[in-house]
Structures are given as C-alpha cells and as structure tokens.
Amino acid sequence: MFPGATDERGGSDTAGDAADRGDVNFVVVGAPLDATTTFQPGTRFGPRRIRTFAETFDDYDRRTDQYFSDLGVADHGDVRAWDDVSDYLEWLEGTLRDIVWDDAVPLLLGGEHTVSLAGVRAVEPEVFVCLDAHLDLRDDYDGNDLSHACVTRRILEEESVEEAIVLGARTGSEAEWDRADADDVTVVPPEDVADFTFGDRLEDREVYLSVDIDGADPAYAPGTGTMEPFGLEPREMRDVVREVAPRATGFDVVEVNDRDEGQAASLAGKLLREYVYANAAAAGASDDE
Amino acid sequence: MFPGATDERGGSDTAGDAADRGDVNFVVVGAPLDATTTFQPGTRFGPRRIRTFAETFDDYDRRTDQYFSDLGVADHGDVRAWDDVSDYLEWLEGTLRDIVWDDAVPLLLGGEHTVSLAGVRAVEPEVFVCLDAHLDLRDDYDGNDLSHACVTRRILEEESVEEAIVLGARTGSEAEWDRADADDVTVVPPEDVADFTFGDRLEDREVYLSVDIDGADPAYAPGTGTMEPFGLEPREMRDVVREVAPRATGFDVVEVNDRDEGQAASLAGKLLREYVYANAAAAGASDDE
Amino acid sequence: MFPGATDERGGSDTAGDAADRGDVNFVVVGAPLDATTTFQPGTRFGPRRIRTFAETFDDYDRRTDQYFSDLGVADHGDVRAWDDVSDYLEWLEGTLRDIVWDDAVPLLLGGEHTVSLAGVRAVEPEVFVCLDAHLDLRDDYDGNDLSHACVTRRILEEESVEEAIVLGARTGSEAEWDRADADDVTVVPPEDVADFTFGDRLEDREVYLSVDIDGADPAYAPGTGTMEPFGLEPREMRDVVREVAPRATGFDVVEVNDRDEGQAASLAGKLLREYVYANAAAAGASDDE
Amino acid sequence: MFPGATDERGGSDTAGDAADRGDVNFVVVGAPLDATTTFQPGTRFGPRRIRTFAETFDDYDRRTDQYFSDLGVADHGDVRAWDDVSDYLEWLEGTLRDIVWDDAVPLLLGGEHTVSLAGVRAVEPEVFVCLDAHLDLRDDYDGNDLSHACVTRRILEEESVEEAIVLGARTGSEAEWDRADADDVTVVPPEDVADFTFGDRLEDREVYLSVDIDGADPAYAPGTGTMEPFGLEPREMRDVVREVAPRATGFDVVEVNDRDEGQAASLAGKLLREYVYANAAAAGASDDE
Amino acid sequence: MFPGATDERGGSDTAGDAADRGDVNFVVVGAPLDATTTFQPGTRFGPRRIRTFAETFDDYDRRTDQYFSDLGVADHGDVRAWDDVSDYLEWLEGTLRDIVWDDAVPLLLGGEHTVSLAGVRAVEPEVFVCLDAHLDLRDDYDGNDLSHACVTRRILEEESVEEAIVLGARTGSEAEWDRADADDVTVVPPEDVADFTFGDRLEDREVYLSVDIDGADPAYAPGTGTMEPFGLEPREMRDVVREVAPRATGFDVVEVNDRDEGQAASLAGKLLREYVYANAAAAGASDDE
Amino acid sequence: MFPGATDERGGSDTAGDAADRGDVNFVVVGAPLDATTTFQPGTRFGPRRIRTFAETFDDYDRRTDQYFSDLGVADHGDVRAWDDVSDYLEWLEGTLRDIVWDDAVPLLLGGEHTVSLAGVRAVEPEVFVCLDAHLDLRDDYDGNDLSHACVTRRILEEESVEEAIVLGARTGSEAEWDRADADDVTVVPPEDVADFTFGDRLEDREVYLSVDIDGADPAYAPGTGTMEPFGLEPREMRDVVREVAPRATGFDVVEVNDRDEGQAASLAGKLLREYVYANAAAAGASDDE
Ligand SMILES: [Mn+2]
Ligand SMILES: [Mn+2]
Ligand SMILES: [Mn+2]
Ligand SMILES: [Mn+2]
Ligand SMILES: [Mn+2]
Ligand SMILES: [Mn+2]
Ligand SMILES: [Mn+2]
Ligand SMILES: [Mn+2]
Ligand SMILES: [Mn+2]
Ligand SMILES: [Mn+2]
Ligand SMILES: [Mn+2]
Ligand SMILES: [Mn+2]
C-alpha cells in the first residue's frame, strides 16, 4: 500500500473495493503493464517499487504544512495486467472512471506509459502535460498503435484533449518531430524547462499530468526501460509538478522498473507526493476563500 | 555470434542471410520473444546472454573427439521480436523452415518457451521431448493461447506430433495434470529423471528436443522468469540431451533471462553444445557404417 | 499478501485485523525483525520477498490433490518490527497466540531466527524441530541473549519444550556443541538428513517446525545473512517438512534477505506451501477417518 | 586501512593500538554501527567500503599542494559494533577521546549517524555543522532516543554544544521542524547551500563537522539507507567541507552502505580527504605565520 | 553491431573485413583492452555494453536533421585484445590506419584509455582534446609506460601532436600536474568547462577527440574503473563534443565497464552519436558551400 | 585480515612484516593477480572477498576439536600485484619462500590461478594436486606462457614436481587432453571424484594442494572468471581437501572474483579452513605419537 494512504484492497493485492469514498480525495491505482517496453523490461514491478521506496518519506510536508495521511489518499491496489493491451486499458479506464465519479483524483502508478491513455480517458482533460524524454508521438511502433511510444499521439486523438505540452523531450523520429510542430503540441527541451512557466495557459482548463520517469537524466532514474542522457534534474521536475498540480485532476508516474537500487522509484514516489501536497494545498486555499 | 559458429548475418544483428548453406549442418537462430512472461521478464536478452557466456567454452570436446567449429554450425543472428506473438511465430517458422529445407538443424535460442511452437512447426517431429519445470499444458493463460504456459499443449495439437515427453516437470494446474494423464503425454518427475531411459521409444521417430532452462533447479539457473525449486541437476539434463540428440532434428533452449550472473546462460550454452556434439557424433558414426 | 491467502489487513500492510476467522486454518504473519543479524543484514525484507517470489507457484498441488487457496490460509500482514527485541517478541507473541486461540496455525515469515521464540511461546510445543546450518545454542552473543544465534537455546528453556531436533547443523561454538550433547538436543548433520526419519519420536506430541533458510547450501539460498557451505539440498528439506508437517501446529521460515536474485525467497515460499499442503492433507485424512 | 594512512591496528582489524602518536594529526576510526537504520540496512559495511573506494585517489592534492600521506593520518581500524547502542557509544567515545587527548583529530567512518554522538562527546565542540537530508531532531523514534533520526537532537543536548547548522535538510516531522525553529538550529535548504557562507559564525569557536552522505542527491549516493530526492550536488558539499574544515576539530562521514556500485563510498572518501587537506593546509598556514 | 551502422564483420565478431568502403565515412572499432586498469576491471565489456545501450536511441537527430544510418557509419567489430599491450596497440593501429587511408574517421570503443594511443598514431593529429577526470600524464605506472594512466603523456610524445587539451581533469600526481604546466598542455578543471570555448585554437588544425567516460561525475557513469567525484555534467561533455567534432578526424570513448546498470554505456553511445552528427553536419555544410 | 589469524601487516594492507614467526604454522598471503583472466575479470578482489566472507565462520571445528585461532595462522596481508606477471611471480615466490623457511605453510589467496606457480616454486613439492574445471595444461595462451590456462603445465616443468593430479577437470583443448594422457598427469572427471581415493599415492611425498574455485559447479561458485557447468559438489571438494591436507605443505585457493553474492568466496574460505584444521589435526596426531 502506498505509505500514508488508507487501504481499499478487500481481499487481495490486485483487486480493490471502492466501497465508501466519502473522505477520499485521491486514489492510488497500480497499473503494472509491461507489454510494449522495447528495451529493458520490468515496469510490471513499478507500482510495488514505488510503494516500497516511499516508505522512508516523512508524512509531514513543511512547505505546505500538511500531513500526507490527512489528505484523503486511498490505495486501490493494482489492476493486474494481462497480454491484451487494448482490453486492459478499457478495464483500467473503468476503475479510474469510478474514482473520477467519486470526485477523487486518480493517481496512477505505471507500468509503461501506455496506461496514461486510460487515465486521460477517465479524466477527460483539455490539456495533457507530460514530463518525458520522448515525444511518444508515433503513429504506431512495430505495427502496434498502443505502444508506449505512441501514447501522447493517442491521447491527442481523444475528444476532450486540446493540446499536449511535453517537457524534457529530447528525442523522437522525424515524423514525431513533425507532428510536434503542429499547434496542439508544445515541446520544451530539457535545457529550457528550468525557465519555463505555464503563465495562464492552464487557467480555467482541466489538466492531466503525466510523469514519465525517463524525463529525468539517467543518473537520477536508471531504473527505466530506455535511458536517454541529457535529461532533467529532479528539482526541475518537481517545480513543474508543483506548478501544474493545482490544475491537474489526474496524475500518473510511469516507466519505473526494478533495474536500479531504487533511485527511479524513490523519485517517482516523491513526485507523486509533491503532486498531492500541491493539489491539496491549492484546494484548501480555495476552500478558505 | 555463437562462439565457434560461422556468421550468416549480412548487414545487421537481427536479419541474417541464409545465402549458401553447403556445409552447414546446424543453424543457430535467436528468438528474443519476451511477450507473455508472467513474472520476471528479460528473455529478450536470452540469446545474447547465451552467446556471451558460451565464449569461455573450449572448442574441442574430448568425449566425442570433435571440434565445435568443425561441425558446420552457422549463426543466423536474431529474428527480432515484436508484440504480435502469432505473427512473430509465423515469421520465425519461415526462417526455421528454410533451415530445415537446407537440410540443417535449427538451434533456437529463446526467448520465452512459446518460440518452440515455431520450431516444431518447421521441423514437424513425431515426438516432442522437453526438459521443463512446468507442464505448459494450459489451454490458455489469461485468455492468451500463445502464452509460454500453453506451448506444450499447442505443440500436441500440431498434426505431426504424436506425443510429448516432459522431463523434470513438477508443477501445473489441475487441468494440466489431467491433460498430462492422457496417452500422448509422459511426465517424468525430477526425482526420476536420473534413472529414466527412453529405451526404444524414440527409435525410427523424428524428435524435437526443447530445453526450458527452468527445468534446472534455481540454484543452477536463477536467471529465468519463474523459478521452481526441487529441480534437475545439470548433469541429469546433459544426459537427457546426449541420449535424445542423435534422434532430434530440431533443438531449442529457452527462458534464459539476464537476471543472474550468467549461470542460466552458461548452462544453456553448454547444453546446446552437448546437443551439437552428440548429434554430430551420431551422424558421423552412421556415416562411417 | 501471500499468494492464495485471503487478506486480513484492514487499513495497512503492517497491522492486520483478525476479525472473523471462522474458516481460517492457517495465518501468515510477517515478522521483519532485523536487529541482531551479525553479517549481511536485510531480513527486514524477508516477508515481502517471500510473498513476491511465491506469486509464480501454481495454486494446485498434484501430490495431495489440493488447492492452496482452498485450505483456509489468511495473511495477517506484517507485525512491524522495532529496535527493542524483547518488547517486539512479546507483541508478536500476542498476535500469534490470538491465531492459536482461533484454532489456526501461525505461519511466521522472518525476519531473523529470533522470531521463532515468539512462535514457540504462542504454540507451546513439546518438540522443536528445526532446519538450520547453525546450532543457535549460545547462551548469549555479544551479551545479547535474544540474538538469533541463541534462539534454539532460549526455546529449550521454555516450559513446554522437551527437546530440540536440529537438522542440517554443521557449525557452532564448542559450548554450543557441548550443549548439543545433552539429552534434550538431537543434531542431524547435513550428510545424514537424507536418510534420517523421525520414526515414532513425534507421535502424540505437539511439534513446532522452524526452517532457517541457511540450512540449505548457499547455492540454493544465497540471500541469507550467514552463508555456511556444505548444506542441505532443497529436496531433503522438503522431505523433512512433509514428514513433520502433520504433527506441527506452528511453522516458520526465517533468515531470508534481499541479497540474491530470489532463490532464498523462492525456496522459503515453496517450503511454506509444502508445510500447508502436507498439514492440511493429514488433517483431511484424519477427518475422513 | 584508509589509503595513505599509517596503520595503528596491532593484531586485528577491529582493535587498534594507539601506541605512539607523536606525528599523528588525524586518526581514522571505523564505527560500523547498523542498529537503528529503518529502511535499507548495510551501514555496517560503510567503513570498509569507504576505505576500498578511496584506493583510487591520488595521494597528492594540487589545490593545497599537499600529500595525504604526509599529513599524519593514522588508521585505528574499526571499533567493532554490537547490539547495545548506548554501551557502544560509550566505548567508541573512549577511543575518540584518546585521540583528542593525543592532540589529533578523529575522523569517524560510519556506520549510522548515531555514531556522531560519540564523536561530539569526545570533541566537545560549540558548533555542530552537519550535511544531511534529514533534520535528525526527533526526540525519539519508535521509542528509541538513540536512533539515527535523533542524533542532532541528542547532540544539541550536550553541554558544550551551543548550536547546530544543518545544510541540505529537506525533510522532517512537524515536531522536528518546530524544534528547528529554535534559536540554536539553523537549517539551510538544499537550494540555498550553494550561496550560503558561514561568514564569521564559526570564528573562534570549536566546530564538529558531520557528513551524512544522504545529504547528497540519491544520484550521487544511492548506497544509503533512506534516499531523499532533491538533494545536494557533491561540489556543494565539498565547498562546505572546505570552508568549515579549518575550524573543525572533529569530522565524520556516515550512513554509507554497500547497496550501490561504490558511488556513496567514493564520495564519502573524497569528502574526508577534502577535510584533511583543508584542515592541514589551514594549520600549516597558521604555523607559518 | 553499433545500431544504425552497417556491418563489416565477415565471419566473426572479432575480425572484420574492410572490403569496400566506398560510402563509408565513419568506422566503429571495438578495442576491449582491459590490461592495466588498476581498480575495477571490466573495460573488456565496454564495446558490447556501448553497442547494446545504444539500441534505444532514435536514428533521427532533430538538431542536425540527419539520420544516423544515412551518415555512412560502418561497424568493423572488435579487435580482440590480448595480454601484450604493446603488440596489441600496434595491431590495432594497423586496423585504424586502414580506416584513415579509406578516408573514413575511426570511432574507437574502449577498452581502457591506452587504446587512444593507437587512435592517435593512426590519425596523426596536431591537437589531442580529451575529456577525462585524470591527467594521464604519468611517465609510467608501476613501471608500465603503457598504463592507461600514461596515455596522454605518450600521446604528447607522438611526432604529430603539438598539444593536449584536457577538460574535466581534477586529479593527478604532483609530477603530472608539473608536466601539465608545460606549454603543450591545457587543463580545464570541471568547474570551468561549461564556460570554456576553444575560440580559434583548433582552426586549421587536425584534432583527435577522446572521451574518457570518467570525466563525467560518477553519478552519470558509475560503470568505470576509477570513479572520481566532482566531475562533469553530461551536457557539458556533449557541448565540448559538438564544438570539437567538426575539426576532429579521430574519435574514441573509453573506460566504460559493465559494473553499473548501463548509465556509463548509454552516455558513451550518446556522445559518440553526437560526435558523428556534428561532424557530418559540418562536413555537409562545407560541402554545400 | 583472515578471521582468526594474527596480523603480520606492519603499516599497510599490502606489505607485511614477517618479524617473528615463532608460533606460526600457517601464513595467509593474498595474491590479487588479475592479469590474464580471459572472460570475467575481478580476481584482484578475491583475497578481500575471501577474508570478508570468512568472518561468519565459527572459530571452533567440532570434527577435529580445534580452534582456528589456536592453530598458529598469521595473515601477511596482500602482495600487491602489478602488470608484469613474471616479475610479480618472482616477488611473490620470495615472500612464500620466506614462509617455508620459517617452517610455516603458505596459504595463498588468489588472484588468478597463475599464482600457484609461485607457491609451487616456494614449496617444491613432488606432487601437485589440484581441484579445477580446467586442465590448465596449455603451452601458452595467446602467446602468453604465464596465462592461468597454462599453470599446471608450467608447474609440471618445475624440477621438484613429479606428477599432477587434477580432480574435477571437464574441459580442455585437444593438446591439453593429449598432454594429460602422459604418465605424469592424472585426471579425475567430476563424476568420479566422489569415489576417488588417493590410496598410498601421496605417501611419503610432499604435496602442494591448489583449489581453483571453478572446480565447483557454477551454482556453488558463480563468482569466478570462467564458469564451467557439470562441476563438483562442495562436499566432494571438502573431502579431497581433508584427505590431502595432512600431506600438503602448501595450499592455495584461487580464481574467486567479486561478481556474485559471496558464494565463491564463502566456499573458498571454508575450504582453506578445512585444509588448516585437517593439516593441524594430522600434525597434532603425529606429535602425540
Ligand atoms: Mn513516455
Ligand atoms: Mn519516455
Ligand atoms: Mn516452459
Ligand atoms: Mn518452465
Ligand atoms: Mn538459525
Ligand atoms: Mn542459521
Ligand atoms: Mn542523519
Ligand atoms: Mn540523513
Ligand atoms: Mn583516462
Ligand atoms: Mn580517467
Ligand atoms: Mn585453473
Ligand atoms: Mn579453472
């Protein structure tokens, strides 16, 4: 279970009951999909790695003066993955949609990036903000249009989604870069992320925030499927998360595997918590108004 | 390239030319499929691990007084895998069938066990002999009938195949054990493998020999997806390989991943060589008659 | 959660509710104590490693024709450990005693061997049967009489316990060996375990069975704190477990850490299951009489 | 032995003779305590890891134009740890106090951060300067007031100590942050360390400098018990060490374990050497005056 | 084979045919020498690690609008190393000289840094530019003047070489630093690399560019023989490579071993590609003039 | 220092003083040579690994009723290795010869197998008994006649040596096997070692006993340079050591590296202790007569 969360799992690690979500504001859902990773596999172990390495974090956050365990976070457990990606996404979407209907924010733990598609379908945001080394704008990869290398492309095809903002992207095919030139995509290269601000671009719009851990430089997250050097610093990622969090009604962190000493999982868990603290603080502030 | 083999790869590691196979008796083909592994993934790295850890073996085999590099082994490189297992198996089968048509023996390096299905379809044996911890007799697994947990079942459905002999099997579902009770399946538990002999069961029959490395006890092959304790000793596996090799016109070794220090790959490479030495020695002996 | 068990954990991984144990015959309890390990630490990760590596095992057991998930196994989660070993043991004993009072068998997942003392105090057996490389008969270790190196000595001091039978022991201090010469201790060296049988020694007596994973040769369980070569084969351990299980009303497997590729945890989980299958089968058989 | 040091160990690795310390200015002491680490254990291997990974460093330092082996560094070996933390600290303090009496600077290699308490008691500084991700200001942790999470709190209770300056701290409980608001604690968050200078705060005061390696971002020191993202850059840590070293009469580097490829140990050994070079250079400069 | 390159290897991994190099502009050559590494060995696995971890990189480079596979890169395979370093360098030089004679640029994959000497002898540059933590200016190391710790010194003794510029160097013996004070050596410490530019120093001069991966901070390249903290950021290394590439007619990346999770190899492969893109883009630009 | 030994090292880990050896019967010498390993390097870390993993062993041996620390074992530290193998062997031989002259038995910790040559030259035995997967009977390897693959051949050329008995050998070149057919070589394949006895072959002859850890099956010693499946069980090795020890006046254990979790080092340390216990017990017994 995610440390500090309450436990929704009734009788197994992989099938949670959503029973009574009166006080629940956020629901952690593990989505250990590991079907289309092309190089180093292991995202199936991502959710449990993230939960484990989050155990060492303090419950209390000084910046926002909040306790994580006070913020109404439940852990639904994992939605166990199987081979049929399309079917799995549909099933996962159902779980996430229930959370949205319960007025809670889904916090998805990947698994490969493909699972963000289920998150977006459940949340129906207007803007998809993403930290990623890759554009993920392929039309298909090896004939598979549900590859993790296509996820931002697929998300742009969702009806609700008006644009994607990809921060930290530093590689892609020529076709992806051409797609990225269209009006509905903004790419912020790693070098520019520190100085980038959203200004009023997110104002009055619903946002989904997705953190592909490979957005970080490999030094900070070696446990991911396709390392891409020259990446983001964790503090840059954190600052993006803090800025976007108040607007974002869906969140995920993906592409963590078990092939390092926990650096990737530790960073992933920390960014999830930054999201929750910042989102809750903003909600609290607006409640106070 | 498999040490001691000649290189068929024209311009890439993953697409070989089969050009001129005049003196070729055996063709190594890597099949790095890693799509249906349910626990620890990494079989995609199996072929390269096996080739690497085979580099330390002596070319010469005292028992049969042969040099591996004299036996006409070519390495075709890998048949690069993708997500669609059914399509991939068909493509792989084509590569293997070409080898059979060239009167050579395919030596398949897995990859997950599913690839044996392509091997059997290319070779069309009457008997499928298999070293495996698992029965692999499921009708489907999570709805997927091409899961590695179904491969022996699928192979029994091939027209040419009359029976399967599974050595070292020690676990399965109730349905698998019931299927194993049928006349066309023989299961030899690990405890009985040392004393088991085929007698004349293989005489005048075409055989395909498949080595799932998890047939070995985990101590000898920790680098595999689903460790199952109480397994075979390497010498027991070797003796089975030596006995079956003269009859077997197709061979594979599968389910090796990169999650140990090379023990699984080293054993896999050694068993492949034992197969080649024993098959070649028997062929040489019958040539001499 | 232990695969195949039902989940007793109410709201966290570390504090289970024992609510209604009507159909429960066995209760898994994690005891991640890691306080007195003298060489390689990490037993705190033992319970989660064992649960994880047990995920690959088939639910069905052909030998006894039973499903693990039918046998009434619940998982209580972990009893979180802290620095004060004496206090912790008392707390843990309470949890285990509740299980005994509910007519269920506690299945303890270590954690260091010291936790067996809590198990024995809860179960109050007459005979303590133990698989271990070490005698664990020290009076104290570095002044600590609750060190894992003293656990069998401490257990012999419990009122209910009449004797200890240690199988696989191959090392100890001179004082330990002298203590082992007393009438209430039987040591079976690794070389003799294969041929050893309990005869009627356990008849009509209550037994507690403890598996220190370092009883196995390091090849089979490198993930333990103090490797000791020349150890047991897993099948020898399994056969002891099968023989003792029908008499044993308490069981633990201890000293597994996270410093290997899962071999130790895989063996530990398997031996626990062998215990459950054998105990349940015997119970079922006697029910049938 | 620490590379470049002379060896004080008489007849064993763990018990040194302090014999004749005429020319000795610094004495390395290993303190492999590993009793209260709450997540990933292994600090017991810290001293030997640090010594090993320091073997590759050049003896000569260009910046200060000094040879490490000329600076009068002796290695006392390790003070072997046992379970009773309170007793151990007392014993360790004795060893360190001898060093202080011999007019040498103790250089403590942890072991968990708790060992700094022995260092401070031996050195009796007025200011405790610390690089750490954590405040370590808890009153107790799980009832243990000698947990490594309480060490700075305990140190502030020492008679000689007037204040603590914690650089790089980024997490703590609410009570810790409240304690940190008191006048005797200065917290410099990681973001501000690069621009922080001590000014004249250390002038004419005795200082003890403690480096908890987890002050560094996990990318630079994954081999530590509780990784905390968003940490310090090694050069920032080095610059603090260089600035404080001339004033510091006691030094330690702690919380290194064996769970990475040597990054944490390499950084730790380097920072120790930076301390020695800077302290010796300042001493030499003042001697020259 | 290096991903995106064509394959020159005729019949084995270690002996390439240079046949027809009509369209070849760059030739990758593996030089797995691992003879004089003083601490952590494993550079013998460097070439294969670099090739493997380069598999995930996109073929297309947006900055220069080029496809790697269009740039005429061939992979010659490895020049298998043996014990006699002097003989090996001579043999390797022959292979590289052939490449130079074919008007192609050799791209050497180490192996230890010593192999750069063969590269320089084949290319005969006037300037040796090097990214390295170490000066490598020793006259000999343990009596061996072909140690990797002497390579820049040896290179300065080559007739063609007028000067060496070492970026990122942060350690050396006193004699090395004194040698570095001579006019023909420029040392740029890590702190100054970001702001350093070559100005017109390389204009109209032939340059050889060597990347010792330990120039990077250990966080970015833990898989190297002698980690040295306080190193370069990957983007700083990349910018040097981009600036020097248009002038450099020889390139190598060395000192990568297999003792990390691929971070060092990933960075090495990326820097090689940056070199090729930048060199080719400059060549294309000058062709267009 | 080897646990239980006294320390001969004066002022450094790598240069011991042999001062006064009045009561010394055995002297441990580390020989971390790592120059000719052809596959996985790391034997340079062998001596420290063996010492470290021997720390967990009990001082007392029940079989012989002796304390290791009573048997007069000193640890000389390591004889630091460098690149020139021939020179190094000569230097090492000097150190070992001193030990022999002091009437003590050298206990050499490799390092690669080549170091046995120094041991044999110092001890001048008539019979060389060796546990090894490999014949090591090559005349040279890649032109190097001091490769570890030649060591038994070189030893047979020493004047004192009349014959070599190699137990566990299972691979070699044709020339090696032919050399092995000569009268002065006996090869006992792994399958026959359990039943092999020396009879009176060693009677009244001086013997040197060398344990190449790769004689063990890779399951028991994965941390070695060239794994060779189908090897010895540790108990078989132990029984050979026990039988030969009373006659052997020199002993070594070699080819341990740092690429496993300590299994190889643990076994190596144990076999060394078995040698010492058995040799000392026999000496004691003959003293008693
Ligand atoms: Mn992505
Ligand atoms: Mn990505
Ligand atoms: Mn299978
Ligand atoms: Mn299997
Ligand atoms: Mn025990
Ligand atoms: Mn034990
Ligand atoms: Mn601390
Ligand atoms: Mn800390
Ligand atoms: Mn260099
Ligand atoms: Mn360097
Ligand atoms: Mn050998
Ligand atoms: Mn050998």
Side-chain angles (χ1 to χ4, degrees), chain B residues 165-180:
Chain B
I165 304 173
V166 187
L167 302 108
R170 45 200 184 270
T171 191
S173 69
E174 186 170 13
E176 283 181 281
W177 283 109
D178 289 348
R179 178 69 186 81

Side-chain angles (χ1 to χ4, degrees), chain C:
Chain C
M1 216 193 49
F2 200 89
T6 55
D7 197 346
E8 289 198 343
R9 294 167 301 175
S12 90
D13 281 346
T14 55
D17 284 325
D20 172 28
R21 282 187 175 137
D23 299 328
V24 168
N25 299 313
F26 306 90
V27 182
V28 174
V29 176
L33 188 69
D34 193 10
T36 76
T37 45
T38 37
F39 188 51
Q40 306 240 37
T43 49
R44 65 193 67 183
F45 299 124
R48 81 177 69 176
R49 291 282 281 188
I50 298 172
R51 289 185 180 101
T52 296
F53 282 87
E55 288 173 19
T56 67
F57 298 141
D58 279 299
D59 191 25
Y60 178 74
D61 179 58
R62 189 57 165 187
R63 189 178 70 91
T64 63
D65 191 30
Q66 295 173 117
Y67 283 85
F68 190 80
S69 59
D70 283 350
L71 300 180
V73 185
D75 189 337
H76 184 78
D78 287 356
V79 176
R80 184 171 161 282
W82 66 95
D83 297 331
D84 189 318
V85 176
S86 178
D87 276 13
Y88 178 67
L89 289 181
E90 206 171 314
W91 183 265
L92 178 63
E93 181 190 337
T95 301
L96 301 177
R97 200 175 284 274
D98 287 350
I99 293 166
V100 173
W101 283 339
D102 288 338
D103 282 330
V105 174
L107 307 172
L108 201 48
L109 306 177
E112 48 172 280
H113 208 163
T114 314
V115 301
S116 297
L117 186 53
V120 163
R121 285 171 176 165
V123 168
E124 299 183 27
E126 293 154 275
V127 187
F128 179 68
V129 177
C130 180
L131 289 155
D132 201 331
H134 308 91
L135 293 173
D136 290 351
L137 287 171
R138 289 170 194 270
D139 201 19
D140 72 290
Y141 188 89
D142 273 349
N144 184 350
D145 61 3
L146 291 176
S147 161
H148 64 158
C150 311
V151 67
T152 299
R153 179 76 164 260
R154 285 298 87 70
I155 282 168
L156 280 165
E157 293 163 4
E158 290 298 306
E159 204 176 339
S160 74
V161 177
E162 297 165 1
E163 63 167 318
I165 305 173
V166 188
L167 302 106
R170 46 201 185 269
T171 190
S173 69
E174 186 170 12
E176 284 181 280
W177 283 108
D178 289 349
R179 178 69 185 82
D181 282 343
D183 284 350
D184 59 351
V185 179
T186 304
V187 177
V188 186
E191 289 80 356
D192 299 344
V193 168
D195 296 327
F196 178 82
T197 53
F198 288 88
D200 56 6
R201 288 180 65 166
L202 306 182
E203 212 157 314
D204 296 324
R205 301 172 79 185
E206 271 207 56
V207 180
Y208 185 97
L209 175 56
S210 175
V211 178
D212 182 333
I213 206 69
D214 67 23
D217 191 276
Y220 301 96
T224 195
T226 47
M227 282 187 268
E228 183 74 25
F230 314 139
L232 297 171
E233 304 274 318
R235 289 187 206 159
E236 292 167 348
M237 300 175 82
R238 179 195 65 188
D239 292 346
V240 169
V241 169
R242 285 183 181 166
E243 187 178 359
V244 176
R247 300 281 170 199
T249 56
F251 175 86
D252 65 54
V253 58
V254 299
E255 297 285 340
V256 172
N257 68 28
D258 66 330
R259 290 172 175 266
D260 66 6
E261 284 80 46
Q263 299 101 306
S266 179
L267 178 56
K270 199 77 191 178
L271 291 173
L272 181 146
R273 286 163 44 103
E274 289 287 336
Y275 168 78
V276 170
Y277 285 127
N279 181 284
S286 68
D287 285 359
D288 293 351
E289 285 164 26

Side-chain angles (χ1 to χ4, degrees), chain D residues 113 130-136 148-149 151-152 212 214 254-255:
Chain D
H113 207 163
C130 179
L131 289 156
D132 201 331
H134 308 91
L135 292 173
D136 289 351
H148 65 156
V151 67
T152 300
D212 182 333
D214 67 23
V254 298
E255 297 285 340

